[in-house]
Amino acid sequence: MTLTLISIELIKIFKKWRTYIGFIAIGILTPTVQLALYFTGQRYVNHLLRGLQDAFVFYGNLFNGYLVAYLILHSLVIHIPFLIVLVGGDLLAGEATAGTYRILLIRPVSRLQIIVAKFFAGIIYTFILILWLVLLSFILSLFLFGSGELITFKNKLIIFSQNDVIWRFVCAYGFAALSMSTVLTLSFFFSSMVENAIGPIISTMAVIIIFLIISAIPIEFFQTLKPFLFTTHMTVWENFFNDTVDWQSIFNSSLILIIHIIVLFLFTVYIFLKKDILS
Amino acid sequence: MKKVLKKFLIFFLCAGFTAAQVNYAKKVLQQVIKTFNKIQDYQADMEIIVDMEFIKMPTTKAKIYFKQPNKVKFESKGFTILPKQSLIFSPLDLLTGDFTPIYLRKEKLNNYNVDVIKVIPNNDSSDIVVTTLWVDKTKHIIRRVESIGKRTGPIFIDLNYDNNLILPSTVKFAFQDSGSDSLTEKRQNNSPQIRSLPKLSGHITINYSNYKINQGLSDSFFIEKNK
């Protein structure tokens, strides 16, 4: 029954125009970045290697699909939350706006089943959006620029061999999916409290911006709060591209994000079960 | 008058001694070149191990082809970083140009009797300020090089040879970031936002294996590389 509900919710999601804004945005942005890197990417590699040409010579090509995918992931993953909340904020509030709440709830399914189905449909949308990002940023980049070693810079240059790269990307995209699921859950939570999707979208983005600002302010109190803010852990995917992967840090961050998802979802369920449906 | 004569005598003795040092050094280096010239061509597998402060990268493998006097072909499946000094495939490269060799001393280096010779370029255009060579007196091969460049700190190169080979089996480059004027200047000129230039300290070891010497590599083999 729940699976049927989830598929129905997915159909509803993908019948809405706003759902495709995220796909279109990534579909435009990624090839644009790829085109720009096609002309300037080698300069980026030269910039990383500057200061070394006096003493060393380099053979091989570090400007390849892996580097392009890494740069795109770096630049886009910060902006993807906005594309996620467009759908997440509409999951419950959209029913209120359309006046379909009561029709939905008179069906022979419990409120709990409905909210679980909507939540998982939202999570599936998030994963599909990340998969779209993988397809365009990773697979298309490999097709256009070829493969090779991956060069990154974190205090020092790190060059990963070809056979040491793919698992890092898989884990990074997986972690990005977890981060975005947290964002979706937050927007889903706000969506349960209002009757218009604009509110949850703005609220979620406001929370993300506030948390990012708080994290950046070097005041002791804010720095104490920082480890508990989900935004702090959204960029932990970068750890997969460290020389030595700090699995403990990744595990802790994953745990904090999962706890955020569970707690926010439970709050959403509570609000939805107690909600007085008037529309 | 006696004092003047004494000064002249000291001057001529010094000049004569220096000339003798230069001549002996030239003779030693000529023997090194003569030894190397026995090799018309060679090919070898390379294993490059980078252990530098500024860069972390996996061990890479490559193949090197050389033909006298200066034809070189390098094959590598992946990305490889090599010290510029590793491109000196022949002592001829090291010892061509306008320079003055000066014999410094003889000493024992890892149980080998070596002559220590300083090579000083005679013009300012050279990237190298001074190079010191430790030349095996018996085999006439270079066992150690210390090179100080204008744009890099001192580089120490230790060459190990397997028995009966006049080509090295291992070449270990040791880099020291001495804060050379050029690097320091570049670092100071950068704004804080731009990352500091890397510190060139650490080691790069190149292991050579499967040498094939004087196999008659054709010139066209090297021309293909340039196409």
Side-chain angles (χ1 to χ4, degrees):
Chain A
M1 180 60 115
T2 310
L3 283 176
T4 312
L5 283 174
I6 292 171
S7 57
I8 290 167
E9 289 303 327
L10 278 171
I11 291 166
K12 282 160 73 178
I13 286 173
F14 283 97
K15 275 201 168 178
K16 286 183 181 173
W17 159 244
R18 69 169 63 196
T19 304
Y20 296 96
I21 294 174
F23 291 93
I24 292 166
I26 293 172
I28 292 170
L29 270 171
T30 307
T32 307
V33 175
Q34 284 164 335
L35 188 68
L37 285 172
Y38 180 79
F39 292 107
T40 60
Q42 192 57 51
R43 252 183 274 168
Y44 175 78
V45 174
N46 293 342
H47 174 76
L48 286 178
L49 298 176
R50 80 201 161 91
L52 304 176
Q53 288 91 341
D54 289 341
F56 302 96
V57 283
F58 309 100
Y59 290 92
N61 181 23
L62 287 173
F63 178 60
N64 53 51
Y66 291 133
L67 178 64
V68 174
Y70 177 75
L71 293 175
I72 291 172
L73 188 58
H74 227 285
S75 55
L76 282 190
V77 89
I78 301 161
H79 308 291
I80 288 178
F82 181 70
L83 308 175
I84 300 288
V85 299
L86 283 175
V87 168
D90 190 55
L91 279 169
L92 291 169
E95 299 284 359
T97 310
T100 51
Y101 249 149
R102 277 192 288 190
I103 298 168
L104 182 70
L105 296 177
I106 57 170
R107 291 193 297 177
V109 284
S110 67
R111 283 195 181 195
L112 184 65
Q113 280 178 310
I114 288 170
I115 198 148
V116 167
K118 279 188 175 292
F119 174 70
F120 279 105
I123 295 290
I124 289 168
Y125 160 77
T126 305
F127 276 68
I128 292 172
L129 194 69
I130 296 292
L131 275 176
W132 178 241
L133 180 69
V134 173
L135 183 73
L136 288 185
S137 68
F138 187 73
I139 295 170
L140 184 63
S141 294
L142 279 177
F143 179 73
L144 292 174
F145 300 96
S147 66
E149 288 82 0
L150 171 67
I151 183 171
T152 64
F153 182 79
K154 278 173 191 171
N155 301 321
K156 63 179 177 182
L157 286 171
I158 306 171
I159 295 169
F160 299 104
S161 64
Q162 278 194 62
N163 54 14
D164 190 31
V165 173
I166 292 177
W167 73 268
R168 291 176 193 274
F169 273 104
V170 170
C171 291
Y173 283 118
F175 197 90
L178 180 65
S179 305
M180 294 308 123
S181 297
T182 312
V183 173
L184 178 109
T185 314
L186 181 65
S187 63
F188 188 60
F189 167 69
F190 284 130
S191 183
S192 69
M193 295 192 285
V194 294
E195 301 200 341
N196 189 309
I198 303 295
I201 292 168
I202 294 170
S203 306
T204 310
M205 291 312 292
V207 167
I208 291 171
I209 291 165
I210 289 166
F211 280 7
L212 286 173
I213 291 169
I214 285 174
S215 303
I217 297 172
I219 295 172
E220 198 182 341
F221 175 71
F222 290 152
Q223 292 305 309
T224 315
L225 281 180
K226 196 176 169 182
F228 303 100
L229 308 177
F230 72 92
T231 45
T232 307
H233 305 279
M234 280 169 58
T235 52
V236 170
W237 65 269
E238 284 186 53
N239 279 6
F240 290 109
F241 296 95
N242 281 346
D243 178 21
T244 309
V245 177
D246 183 356
W247 291 105
Q248 188 60 49
S249 160
I250 290 168
F251 175 78
N252 291 344
S253 294
S254 305
L255 198 64
I256 287 169
L257 291 177
I258 290 167
I259 288 170
H260 270 85
I261 291 170
I262 292 169
V263 170
L264 284 168
F265 177 68
L266 289 177
F267 272 119
T268 312
V269 169
Y270 179 79
I271 291 167
F272 188 70
L273 293 180
K274 297 284 177 189
K275 198 177 179 73
D276 192 8
I277 306 294
L278 301 170
S279 60
Chain B
M1 186 66 182
K2 269 185 181 177
K3 273 185 181 175
V4 175
L5 275 173
K6 203 174 176 181
K7 278 181 184 172
F8 265 107
L9 192 64
I10 292 167
F11 172 77
F12 281 115
L13 276 173
C14 288
F17 181 67
T18 308
Q21 277 184 310
V22 171
N23 286 336
Y24 180 72
K26 277 184 180 171
K27 195 179 154 192
V28 170
L29 296 182
Q30 284 303 323
Q31 281 175 323
V32 171
I33 291 168
K34 196 177 163 188
T35 304
F36 186 76
N37 280 344
K38 288 176 190 167
I39 293 170
Q40 287 308 304
D41 62 66
Y42 72 79
Q43 54 182 289
D45 293 333
M46 296 166 83
E47 183 189 50
I48 303 146
I49 304 159
V50 178
D51 179 21
M52 299 287 288
E53 199 179 322
F54 70 90
I55 192 167
K56 170 79 183 169
M57 65 176 290
T59 300
T60 51
K61 290 188 188 299
K63 205 168 175 71
I64 183 82
Y65 302 88
F66 171 82
K67 186 176 182 182
Q68 294 276 22
N70 56 7
K71 289 189 174 68
V72 176
K73 184 172 179 174
F74 186 84
E75 286 176 355
S76 168
K77 280 183 183 172
F79 177 79
T80 304
I81 181 170
L82 284 173
K84 276 195 170 167
Q85 285 76 6
S86 69
L87 301 182
I88 298 169
F89 300 100
S90 154
L92 273 173
D93 290 339
L94 198 67
L95 303 172
T96 47
D98 188 15
F99 67 90
T100 303
I102 299 170
Y103 176 77
L104 293 184
R105 61 185 180 273
K106 62 178 177 181
E107 66 177 43
K108 277 253 182 192
L109 177 72
N110 303 327
N111 290 327
Y112 296 105
N113 291 317
V114 292
D115 286 322
V116 184
I117 290 165
K118 205 173 266 290
V119 177
I120 303 165
N122 289 337
N123 58 57
D124 292 338
S125 62
S126 172
D127 278 345
I128 304 292
V129 176
V130 65
T131 302
T132 310
L133 303 169
W134 281 256
V135 180
D136 190 311
K137 283 169 85 96
T138 319
K139 287 189 165 182
H140 309 299
I141 50 177
I142 297 169
R143 292 210 173 266
R144 177 178 282 173
V145 180
E146 182 189 339
S147 180
I148 299 172
K150 283 177 185 166
R151 285 178 285 186
T152 56
I155 299 165
F156 303 91
I157 310 167
D158 279 300
L159 301 95
N160 290 314
Y161 298 81
D162 284 344
N163 290 338
N164 303 321
L165 263 184
I166 53 173
L167 290 167
S169 55
T170 304
V171 181
K172 188 170 184 178
F173 299 80
F175 296 84
Q176 278 183 9
D177 187 73
S178 65
S180 69
D181 290 347
S182 168
L183 279 179
T184 307
E185 188 186 324
K186 280 180 189 175
R187 286 196 187 103
Q188 284 169 351
N189 288 343
N190 274 326
S191 60
Q193 288 80 13
I194 301 171
R195 70 179 173 87
S196 62
L197 281 163
K199 287 199 167 185
L200 300 180
S201 53
H203 298 91
I204 293 181
T205 307
I206 304 177
N207 294 318
Y208 293 88
S209 59
N210 298 327
Y211 270 117
K212 288 178 185 169
I213 298 167
N214 294 338
Q215 298 283 302
L217 289 174
S218 65
D219 287 350
S220 59
F221 178 74
F222 293 90
I223 294 165
E224 269 177 46
K225 173 204 158 200
N226 297 326
K227 278 182 181 176

